[in-house]
Amino acid sequence: MFQPKKTIEYSGVGITMISEYTKIKGDIDISCNIYIDGKVEGSIKSTALITIGEKGEVIGSLKAERIIISGVLRGKAEATDVEFIKNGKIYGDIISSKLSIEDGVIFEGTNKLKK
């Protein structure tokens, strides 16, 4: 299993995993961490951490306390802390208090400060 470089456990409740070769259409609303290596079309809301792994792709919106992306996001991300890891691709808008982008990331969109 892929481990993000900087894992912060926001929720002791557990983790939901969407593995490679899995495709989900629809909205997800959870109270735990979620790790995505498959494809999700829809919105994802979590009270904890959303991670899009290297093989993951989300077409839609993300809203969480923290978001880490090393795969592909086509849409909107809103979190207190957003981190884009090398080779990540983001096509859309970001709303965050803290934004971190590593070398090698593709970012086409806008960034706004979360109030």
Side-chain angles (χ1 to χ4, degrees), residues 14-60:
I15 185 167
T16 297
M17 297 190 67
I18 299 172
S19 63
E20 187 179 7
Y21 309 114
T22 301
K23 183 176 180 180
I24 296 175
K25 284 188 178 186
D27 299 334
I28 300 171
D29 191 350
I30 58 174
S31 297
C32 65
N33 300 328
I34 184 167
Y35 180 87
I36 302 154
D37 240 353
K39 184 174 182 177
V40 176
E41 293 181 28
S43 69
I44 302 171
K45 291 181 186 177
S46 172
T47 57
L49 169 68
I50 296 173
T51 302
I52 301 177
E54 293 176 356
K55 299 172 186 172
E57 179 179 5
V58 174
I59 300 170

Side-chain angles (χ1 to χ4, degrees), residues 47-81:
T47 57
L49 169 68
I50 296 173
T51 302
I52 301 177
E54 293 176 356
K55 299 172 186 172
E57 179 179 5
V58 174
I59 300 170
S61 63
L62 305 176
K63 188 170 185 175
E65 182 63 29
R66 183 168 189 217
I67 297 171
I68 300 173
I69 300 173
S70 59
V72 179
L73 171 63
R74 298 177 192 279
K76 178 181 175 182
E78 181 176 348
T80 301
D81 185 2

